[in-house]
Amino acid sequence: MLATLKAAGAVGLLLGLLGVRPVGVAAAAGLCLFFVGAVVVHVRARVFHNIAFPGVYLALAVASLVLAVAR
């Protein structure tokens, strides 16, 4: 299920690049929320050895949201 959500976010970002701006912004916001949740789950479970992965993806999702809104 998590992979399906990430794939839907990726498709939404692609649609945003192709000209459907509201879908791109919504997908970027959804991916931000998804990866914030991933970081929160890692922190709550005290799994810090691989927290860099969701942290980097969160940074990329935030960057895509900033760029989508700025356009």
Side-chain angles (χ1 to χ4, degrees), residues 11-68:
V11 169
L13 288 177
L14 182 61
L15 285 174
L17 286 174
L18 295 175
V20 188
R21 187 169 181 253
V23 173
V25 172
L31 285 172
C32 287
L33 292 174
F34 179 88
F35 286 114
V36 164
V39 169
V40 167
V41 167
H42 274 77
V43 170
R44 287 188 65 194
R46 297 184 181 175
V47 178
F48 300 114
H49 67 276
N50 64 349
I51 198 167
F53 293 108
V56 169
Y57 290 128
L58 174 61
L60 291 171
V62 169
S64 67
L65 178 60
V66 169
L67 290 174

